[in-house]
Amino acid sequence: MPTDIEIARSTPLKTITDIAASIDIPSDVLNPYGRYIAKLDRSFIAQLMDRPRGKLILVTAISPTAAGEGKTTTVIGLGDALKRVGCKTMLALREPSLGPCFGQKGGATGGGRSQVAPMDAINLHFTGDFHAISAAHNLLAAMVDNHVYWGNELNIDTRRINWGRVVDMNDRALRDIVVGLGGPSNGYSHSSRYDITVASEIMAIFCLAKDFDDLQERLARIVVAETTDRQPVTAGDLKAVGAMAALLADAMQPNLVQTLEGTPALVHGGPFANIAHGCNSVIATETALRLADYVVTEAGFGADLGAEKFLDIKCRQTGLSPDACVVVATLRALKMHGGVAKADLAHEDIEALKRGFANLERHVKNMQSFGLPVVVALNHFVTDTEAEFAVVRDLCRDRLGVEAIFSSHWSDGGAGAEKLARQVIEAIASSAVNLKLTYSDDQPLTEKIRSVAQKIYGAADIAVEASAAATLAKLEKEGWGNLPVCIAKTQYSFSTDKNLMGAPSGHIIPIREIRLSAGAGFVVALCGDIMTMPGLPRKPAAEAISVTRDGLVDGLF
Amino acid sequence: MPTDIEIARSTPLKTITDIAASIDIPSDVLNPYGRYIAKLDRSFIAQLMDRPRGKLILVTAISPTAAGEGKTTTVIGLGDALKRVGCKTMLALREPSLGPCFGQKGGATGGGRSQVAPMDAINLHFTGDFHAISAAHNLLAAMVDNHVYWGNELNIDTRRINWGRVVDMNDRALRDIVVGLGGPSNGYSHSSRYDITVASEIMAIFCLAKDFDDLQERLARIVVAETTDRQPVTAGDLKAVGAMAALLADAMQPNLVQTLEGTPALVHGGPFANIAHGCNSVIATETALRLADYVVTEAGFGADLGAEKFLDIKCRQTGLSPDACVVVATLRALKMHGGVAKADLAHEDIEALKRGFANLERHVKNMQSFGLPVVVALNHFVTDTEAEFAVVRDLCRDRLGVEAIFSSHWSDGGAGAEKLARQVIEAIASSAVNLKLTYSDDQPLTEKIRSVAQKIYGAADIAVEASAAATLAKLEKEGWGNLPVCIAKTQYSFSTDKNLMGAPSGHIIPIREIRLSAGAGFVVALCGDIMTMPGLPRKPAAEAISVTRDGLVDGLF
C-alpha cells in the first residue's frame, strides 16, 4: 500500500468550482484559496437557512488507543460510500491543528484511500482560520495588559488575569511563563501561560456561534480577569470585540474541499474535546445540512467525551440532532480493552475480545440512551479474523440490538464502506430520533457533572475538591448555573485513570478545578491535569519534513 | 475629502485575472485568494528570470516626522502616473504588519486616492505570509527548547539561547519573559522575549532570498544559541530547515493586487528598517522587473536607514540597482527640521524652511553619492504655499542640481503625480547608473560601520562599547567579517538623538550591541535601545474597529 501522501498526490482532484457545482453551490459564492479550496460567502449561507435540514450522521468511537480508531477515515469513507449508493452527501469535519503536524500525532485529513484533499494545504495553514483565532486571542491578551499599563481603570487584579495567550505550535516551554519583566515600560509582571490554539475559548466560540452576531455576543461575554473585588472583567468591558470580530470575519466562512473520491466536505474549526466540545463549527454543520440529504460529521476522542459534548453542548445550544450514530471500533482496540498487550494485538484472541467488548457495549448503550439509532463500524485491519468479527457481530446483535459492519474504506475507499452506508440509511429510515439529553438546563452545575459521571462514565459518584466546590457555588450565585458542563478527563478510559481499560464501574470521578467559558457557554470541570499545550517528542516529525524541488511538501502524515 | 476606507470602497476593483492580464500574466499561473488577490506560481516566476529587467525606481524620504512623509502613497501615485503617461508599470511594496493596525500607526496600504486594494484584506491577514513566518519562527523556538529537554545532545547553553519567539501583535508584556517554569515536564527555565513578526530574522531572510533554495540555505545558517563552549548552534544543526521551509513554501510566492487606478502591485514581505533592511522581498522586486518596464518600490524610514540598506544590503546581495531615486519630503517636515513646533507647521515660514532644507540636502547628496539620479517629490498639503515651494525648488536646483516636484497624488491620484512621473522618466533616460556602495565587502566590520556613520550620517566617528567591540572581534574571527552591516538607530535624526533635527554633523554614533543575522546575511549594529516589540497606546485603534452587518470591516486606517 502506498503512503497517504502518495495516494493523495496520485489522485487527480476536481476544481473546487466543479465540487461546488456537484452540490448545487453556484460559483459566484465561492471565495477561492488556490484551485482546490474555497470559502463560502456569508450571504449565501444566510439565505440557505430557510431550507429544511438533511439527515445528520454522527461518527464517534470507543475509548481510543493512542493511534485513534479511525473516526476521520470513517467519516470520509462513509461519506464516499453514501455518494456511491446515490445519496446527495456532504461531510463536516474539523480542521487539523498545525502544532501536532510537527510532533508525533501528525495531520488530520484521514488516511489511506479515505482522505480529504489537498492534504498538505489543509494540514499546514489551510485558509488561515487558526491563525485568525490565534490573532484574535492574542489581541485580547495584549489589550488586557495594555489596560492595566495605562492606568487600570477597570481595576483588574493582575494576580487574577486568567486569559493567557495561544500559539498553534507544540511548545512545552510556554506552558508556564512570567510576562511583563524588564521594568516599568514593559508593564506589570505576572504569571501567564500559552495554550495551543485549539484550546482557546475563541476556538470553542467560533465553533458554537450560529452566525456572526452570535459570535460577537459570545466574544463580548469572555471573562478575562477579575477585578480586585472579584468581579468579572470581560472582552466587552475592554472594547475588544469589534477588532476581534474583524480578525475572525473571513475565518467564520466554512471551507469547502473534497475527498479523494470527489465528495464535497466542509472542514471548519476544531476545538479540543476535553476542555471544549470537540467538533467542527455549527456554521459548517448547518450549511452542509441545507445542501445535502446526508451529512456525516465527527466528534473528538471517544463517545464519552466527544459525542456526549456534541449532544449535551452543541445540540443543546443549537437545536441540532443527529439522525443516527456510528460508533467506530477496531478488533485490535477491543482486544486491548480486554487486556492484551500492544505487541500481541495481531494475534486472534476471542476471550480478550469478549472481555474488551464491554467498552464498546457501554459506548453504544450511552448513545442509545440519547435516543439515537446506532451502527457499529469495525475499521478493518489486515490482522483481523472472521472468527473475531463474528464474535463482535453476534454480541452487538444479542446484547445491543445493533449491527456491526466491517468497513475497509482505508484500503478500498468508499467502495469498502458501502455496506456500512446501507446500514446507516436503514437505521435512519427505521427510527425517528427524539433526542434525550443527559441533564436539563435547570439542574445545578454539580448535579449536571454527577449526571454525566454516573450515566455516561458508569461512575459511582463524583468527588468535588473544596476549591472546585467554591467555584461552582460562586458560578451558581453569579447566574451561570443554567449552562451545560464540559468535563475534561482522559480519553483513554471511562474513569480518570487512563490505564483502566474496558468498562470500569463504581469508580469516583474527582473534580479538581472549575473554569467558566462564558463566551462558549459552558462550565469546564477538570478531573485532573489536562494538557492544553502539548510538547514535541524526542524525535519530532518536523525533522523529516521537507519541500521537493517542485514545491511539494514531503514528510507530512 | 472622504476617508481612506470610503474612497477604497467606492472604487470598483477589477478582478485579479484582469489585472494580471494587463501585465501579461496568464491566468493559469494565478493562485487566487478571493477575487482580488492572487499569488503567482513559482514555476512561472522561475521562467521569467531569463528576461531583461525593467527600470527600478527607489522611493525614499527625508528624516520623517512621526506621521511619515508619504512614501507609500508616493510609490502608488507615481506608479499610477507612470501608467497614465503610457509606461508599462508595476509596484513592489511591503506588506503591512497586523499589530500596528490595532495600535496607533494603522495599516500600510497608502491613503487618499493613492491606495492599494482591497485595503482591509491586505491590512489584516492578507494571504497569511506573516502568519507563516511567525509559525516558522516559533517552530524553531520550540525545537530549540525541545532539543534541550530531550537530553541536549548539542550541548546548548540555556543562558545563551538568543532565538526568541514572535507574534504579529503589539504586546509589550512579552518583551521580557521567563519560559519553562512549572517543573521538570515543562523544560528548563530561561529568560526569553517576543519580538513583533516583522523583526524576525526569518522576515529578513524571506525578503532577501533569491529563490527557494537560497531561502533554505539561509534558514540553515540561522544561529539560535551557543553551546556551553561558545560555539554557534544553527537551525540546520536542529534539523528544522525542511519543516520551516514547508511552512514558508506558499508564502514565498509574491502577492498580486492592484491600486485604486488598476496598476498591478506585488505586495510581499516587510522587515523592520532598523534591525533589518526594510524593503519588500527580492522575489517581488525581481518578478516585477521582468514583467514591467518601470517598477516603483520603497525602502523604510528615511534614506539614511531604508535606502542605505536597500543599496548596501539588498543591492549588494542581489546585483539589483535602482535606475533613479525619488526622495519624498513635505514642506511641513522641512519646517519642523528648521525648528518650527508642530502646532505652527501650517504657517508659512521661509526662514525655517531654508534651515530645514539641510535635512533634505544631506539625504539627496547621500543618494547622489551612490551614483543615483535623484528627483525630489514634495508631497502636497493644503497649507503649502507657492512661495515656500519656490524656495525648495530653487535650493534643489542651485545646491543639488535636482528638480523638486509638487505631487498631489494623495488628493488627485495618479493625475496628481504625472509631472513627477515625467521628471523621473527623464532622470532615468539621461543617466546610466553605476552603483557605488558605501563600503566594500573586505573592509572590517568596524570600518563598515564607521563608513556609514561618517558618509551617510555625517558623524565625526563611532564609539564602540567594549562588549560590542568584543563581539565584532569574535565575528571577524569566526569568518563573518565579509558581511554587510545593518545599523539600527532612530529614524528621526541623522544622529542617535531623535530630537536633533536638520543635518547635524560632528556627532558621535555609539555602537552599543552587535548581533549576527547569519541567515539574512548581515551584522546588526545597535546604537541604542531599539524597540522590536511595540506596545499599544492608551486608546488603541482596536477599540474603534468593528464589522458591519454586511461583513465589511470599519475603523481600519
Side-chain angles (χ1 to χ4, degrees):
Chain A
M1 181 99 174
T3 65
D4 290 354
I5 195 132
E6 285 165 356
I7 293 170
R9 289 218 183 114
S10 65
T11 309
L13 299 183
K14 294 179 187 161
T15 66
I16 201 61
T17 319
D18 286 348
I19 292 294
S22 77
I23 199 89
D24 302 327
I25 301 173
S27 64
D28 62 350
V29 305
L30 297 179
N31 242 337
Y33 284 67
R35 296 185 183 82
Y36 306 110
I37 300 168
K39 282 186 171 284
L40 305 184
D41 258 7
R42 183 192 302 195
S43 53
F44 171 70
I45 289 172
Q47 148 235 309
L48 284 180
M49 293 301 146
D50 292 334
R51 299 190 192 172
R53 287 171 175 150
K55 300 294 182 185
L56 181 60
I57 301 155
L58 174 65
V59 174
T60 181
I62 61 169
S63 305
T65 61
E69 297 340 295
K71 278 193 310 287
T72 304
T73 57
T74 302
V75 172
I76 297 167
L78 174 57
D80 286 339
L82 285 164
K83 189 175 133 233
R84 291 174 75 95
V85 302
C87 300
K88 194 173 179 185
T89 305
M90 207 163 182
L91 311 182
L93 284 166
R94 292 173 295 170
E95 295 184 51
S97 172
L98 189 55
C101 290
F102 302 111
Q104 201 151 26
K105 187 177 162 289
T109 48
R113 302 205 183 277
S114 290
Q115 297 186 44
V116 284
M119 82 88 94
D120 45 357
I122 299 174
N123 277 316
L124 294 176
H125 307 291
F126 202 22
T127 55
D129 294 344
F130 286 16
H131 292 314
I133 289 167
S134 302
H137 188 117
N138 293 332
L139 172 63
L140 181 54
M143 288 179 79
V144 173
D145 277 309
N146 193 58
H147 180 87
V148 175
Y149 180 84
W150 288 107
N152 200 8
E153 200 181 330
L154 291 169
N155 210 15
I156 291 171
D157 184 341
T158 55
R159 302 165 308 172
R160 293 197 164 93
I161 296 172
N162 54 44
W163 191 254
R165 290 167 175 87
V166 298
V167 63
D168 197 3
M169 201 54 71
N170 292 14
D171 192 346
R172 68 171 66 73
L174 295 178
R175 284 173 190 156
D176 193 341
I177 65 176
V178 173
V179 302
L181 297 169
S185 65
N186 297 350
Y188 294 82
S189 315
H190 61 91
S191 73
S192 188
R193 70 173 194 283
Y194 268 82
D195 293 328
I196 192 163
T197 301
V198 291
S200 166
E201 186 180 345
I202 296 179
M203 178 67 85
I205 290 171
F206 182 90
C207 288
L208 284 167
K210 283 188 271 286
D211 53 33
F212 205 72
D213 287 341
D214 189 23
L215 175 85
Q216 297 195 70
E217 286 160 21
R218 287 169 180 268
L219 291 174
R221 287 199 292 268
I222 294 173
V223 175
V224 296
E226 286 183 347
T227 62
T228 49
D229 49 355
R230 305 298 299 273
Q231 297 305 302
V233 178
T234 66
D237 295 333
L238 287 161
K239 306 191 184 77
V241 175
M244 293 162 77
L247 285 167
L248 296 169
D250 286 341
M252 278 291 281
Q253 306 315 116
N255 308 297
L256 179 67
V257 295
Q258 63 192 291
T259 70
L260 294 183
E261 299 190 8
T263 307
L266 292 176
V267 177
H268 198 223
F272 262 14
N274 41 44
I275 59 152
H277 64 292
C279 28
N280 64 259
S281 75
V282 165
I283 289 183
T285 308
E286 290 279 26
T287 302
L289 283 168
R290 265 53 180 223
L291 290 164
D293 296 329
Y294 290 86
V295 172
V296 192
T297 193
E298 64 179 332
F301 295 147
D304 53 334
L305 285 168
E308 187 274 324
K309 288 164 187 158
F310 184 96
L311 299 161
D312 279 323
I313 297 176
K314 178 169 171 168
C315 291
R316 180 189 303 265
Q317 290 194 3
T318 57
L320 283 167
S321 170
D323 296 281
C325 176
V326 173
V327 177
V328 180
T330 58
L331 295 178
R332 291 166 61 92
L334 291 177
K335 281 186 275 187
M336 189 196 70
H337 279 292
V340 176
K342 197 176 171 189
D344 300 325
L345 290 175
H347 308 304
E348 185 178 284
D349 189 337
I350 301 293
E351 290 313 306
L353 202 55
K354 285 181 182 168
R355 288 193 301 273
F357 181 80
N359 187 271
L360 174 60
E361 182 175 13
R362 178 159 319 147
H363 285 296
V364 171
K365 282 185 173 165
N366 282 343
M367 293 301 101
Q368 291 173 325
S369 75
F370 283 95
L372 299 175
V374 173
V375 178
V376 170
L378 289 169
N379 205 347
H380 189 265
F381 269 66
V382 283
T383 55
D384 295 348
T385 70
E386 270 301 321
E388 289 178 319
F389 170 64
V391 167
V392 175
R393 182 198 57 208
D394 293 347
L395 286 170
C396 278
R397 282 184 186 156
D398 298 348
R399 296 207 203 157
L400 301 165
V402 305
E403 287 300 310
I405 313 285
F406 249 148
S407 189
S408 63
H409 49 270
W410 187 83
S411 53
D412 302 327
E418 280 189 28
K419 197 172 166 199
L420 177 64
R422 275 188 277 267
Q423 190 61 43
V424 170
I425 292 169
E426 192 189 309
I428 291 173
S430 59
S431 47
V433 171
N434 183 9
L435 195 64
K436 289 186 280 290
L437 301 178
T438 309
Y439 50 82
S440 63
D441 289 351
D442 56 4
Q443 283 179 261
L445 293 167
T446 309
E447 283 312 306
K448 289 171 179 163
I449 299 168
R450 183 174 284 117
S451 288
V452 175
Q454 290 177 337
K455 293 184 189 172
I456 305 294
Y457 305 162
D461 204 351
I462 57 175
V464 185
E465 289 190 8
S467 64
T471 310
L472 284 166
K474 183 166 183 285
L475 292 178
E476 293 279 0
K477 207 176 128 196
E478 291 175 356
W480 303 107
N482 63 325
L483 292 182
V485 295
C486 180
I487 303 183
K489 75 156 180 60
T490 176
Q491 68 264 39
Y492 297 115
S493 171
F494 280 110
S495 75
T496 55
D497 174 0
K498 72 184 164 90
N499 299 311
L500 216 51
M501 301 282 96
S505 58
H507 50 285
I508 302 293
I509 301 287
I511 303 300
R512 300 222 155 96
E513 189 188 339
I514 299 291
R515 296 185 194 158
L516 172 66
S517 289
F522 50 70
V523 171
V524 183
L526 291 99
C527 303
D529 283 340
I530 295 294
M531 187 63 70
T532 51
M533 171 53 88
L536 292 170
R538 183 182 290 271
K539 212 163 161 45
E543 294 183 2
I545 292 174
S546 62
V547 183
T548 69
R549 295 202 66 89
D550 300 329
L552 301 172
V553 177
D554 268 344
L556 287 172
F557 63 97
Chain B
M1 181 100 175
T3 66
D4 290 354
I5 195 129
E6 284 166 355
I7 293 171
R9 290 221 182 113
S10 66
T11 309
L13 299 183
K14 294 179 186 160
T15 67
I16 201 62
T17 320
D18 286 347
I19 291 295
S22 77
I23 199 91
D24 302 327
I25 301 172
S27 65
D28 62 350
V29 305
L30 297 179
N31 242 337
Y33 284 68
R35 295 183 183 85
Y36 306 111
I37 300 168
K39 282 186 171 284
L40 305 184
D41 257 6
R42 184 191 302 195
S43 53
F44 170 69
I45 289 172
Q47 148 235 311
L48 285 180
M49 293 301 145
D50 293 335
R51 298 190 192 171
R53 286 170 176 153
K55 299 296 183 185
L56 181 60
I57 300 155
L58 174 64
V59 174
T60 181
I62 60 169
S63 304
T65 60
E69 297 339 297
K71 281 194 307 288
T72 304
T73 57
T74 303
V75 171
I76 296 166
L78 175 57
D80 286 339
L82 285 164
K83 189 174 133 236
R84 288 174 77 94
V85 302
C87 301
K88 196 173 178 186
T89 305
M90 205 162 183
L91 311 182
L93 285 166
R94 293 172 294 171
E95 295 183 51
S97 171
L98 188 56
C101 290
F102 302 112
Q104 201 151 26
K105 185 177 162 292
T109 49
R113 302 206 183 276
S114 290
Q115 297 187 45
V116 283
M119 82 88 93
D120 46 356
I122 298 174
N123 276 318
L124 294 177
H125 307 291
F126 202 21
T127 55
D129 294 344
F130 286 15
H131 291 315
I133 288 167
S134 302
H137 188 117
N138 293 332
L139 172 63
L140 181 56
M143 288 180 79
V144 173
D145 277 310
N146 192 58
H147 179 88
V148 175
Y149 179 84
W150 287 106
N152 200 7
E153 201 181 327
L154 291 169
N155 209 16
I156 290 171
D157 184 342
T158 54
R159 301 166 309 173
R160 293 196 163 93
I161 296 173
N162 54 44
W163 192 252
R165 290 166 175 86
V166 297
V167 64
D168 197 4
M169 202 53 73
N170 292 14
D171 193 347
R172 69 170 65 76
L174 295 177
R175 286 175 189 156
D176 192 341
I177 64 175
V178 172
V179 302
L181 297 168
S185 65
N186 297 349
Y188 294 82
S189 315
H190 61 90
S191 74
S192 187
R193 70 173 193 283
Y194 268 82
D195 294 328
I196 191 162
T197 301
V198 291
S200 166
E201 187 181 344
I202 296 179
M203 178 66 84
I205 290 172
F206 182 90
C207 287
L208 284 167
K210 284 189 270 285
D211 54 34
F212 205 72
D213 287 342
D214 189 24
L215 175 84
Q216 297 195 67
E217 286 160 22
R218 287 169 180 268
L219 292 174
R221 287 200 291 269
I222 294 172
V223 176
V224 296
E226 287 183 347
T227 63
T228 49
D229 49 356
R230 305 296 302 270
Q231 297 304 303
V233 178
T234 66
D237 296 334
L238 287 162
K239 304 191 183 78
V241 175
M244 292 163 78
L247 285 167
L248 297 170
D250 286 340
M252 278 292 281
Q253 306 315 116
N255 308 298
L256 180 67
V257 296
Q258 63 191 292
T259 70
L260 293 183
E261 299 191 7
T263 308
L266 293 176
V267 177
H268 197 223
F272 261 16
N274 42 41
I275 59 151
H277 64 291
C279 28
N280 63 260
S281 77
V282 166
I283 289 183
T285 308
E286 290 279 26
T287 302
L289 284 169
R290 267 51 180 222
L291 290 165
D293 296 329
Y294 290 86
V295 172
V296 193
T297 192
E298 66 178 332
F301 295 147
D304 54 334
L305 285 169
E308 187 275 324
K309 287 163 187 159
F310 184 94
L311 299 161
D312 280 323
I313 297 175
K314 180 167 171 169
C315 291
R316 181 188 302 267
Q317 289 193 5
T318 57
L320 283 167
S321 170
D323 295 281
C325 176
V326 173
V327 178
V328 180
T330 57
L331 296 177
R332 290 166 62 91
L334 291 177
K335 282 186 274 187
M336 189 196 70
H337 279 293
V340 176
K342 198 176 168 189
D344 300 324
L345 290 176
H347 307 305
E348 184 178 281
D349 188 336
I350 301 294
E351 289 312 307
L353 200 55
K354 286 181 182 169
R355 286 193 302 273
F357 181 79
N359 186 271
L360 173 60
E361 183 174 12
R362 167 127 8 118
H363 284 297
V364 171
K365 282 185 173 165
N366 282 344
M367 292 302 100
Q368 290 174 327
S369 76
F370 282 96
L372 298 175
V374 173
V375 177
V376 171
L378 290 171
N379 206 347
H380 189 265
F381 269 66
V382 283
T383 55
D384 296 347
T385 70
E386 270 301 319
E388 288 178 320
F389 170 63
V391 166
V392 174
R393 181 196 59 206
D394 293 346
L395 286 170
C396 279
R397 282 186 186 153
D398 298 346
R399 296 207 202 155
L400 302 164
V402 305
E403 287 299 310
I405 313 285
F406 249 146
S407 189
S408 62
H409 49 269
W410 187 83
S411 53
D412 302 327
E418 280 190 30
K419 198 172 165 200
L420 177 64
R422 277 193 270 274
Q423 189 62 42
V424 169
I425 293 169
E426 193 191 308
I428 292 172
S430 59
S431 48
V433 172
N434 183 11
L435 195 64
K436 291 185 280 290
L437 300 178
T438 309
Y439 50 81
S440 64
D441 289 352
D442 55 4
Q443 282 179 260
L445 293 168
T446 309
E447 285 311 306
K448 289 171 178 163
I449 298 169
R450 183 173 285 119
S451 290
V452 176
Q454 291 177 336
K455 295 185 190 173
I456 305 295
Y457 305 162
D461 203 352
I462 57 174
V464 185
E465 289 190 7
S467 64
T471 310
L472 284 166
K474 184 167 183 284
L475 292 178
E476 291 281 359
K477 206 177 128 196
E478 290 174 358
W480 303 106
N482 63 326
L483 292 181
V485 295
C486 180
I487 303 184
K489 75 158 181 58
T490 175
Q491 68 265 38
Y492 296 116
S493 171
F494 280 109
S495 75
T496 55
D497 173 0
K498 72 184 164 91
N499 298 313
L500 217 51
M501 301 283 95
S505 58
H507 51 286
I508 301 293
I509 301 286
I511 304 299
R512 300 225 155 95
E513 189 188 340
I514 299 291
R515 294 183 195 159
L516 173 65
S517 289
F522 51 69
V523 171
V524 183
L526 292 99
C527 303
D529 283 341
I530 295 293
M531 186 62 70
T532 50
M533 171 55 89
L536 292 170
R538 183 182 289 272
K539 210 163 163 47
E543 293 184 1
I545 292 173
S546 62
V547 183
T548 69
R549 295 202 67 88
D550 299 330
L552 301 173
V553 177
D554 268 343
L556 287 173
F557 64 96

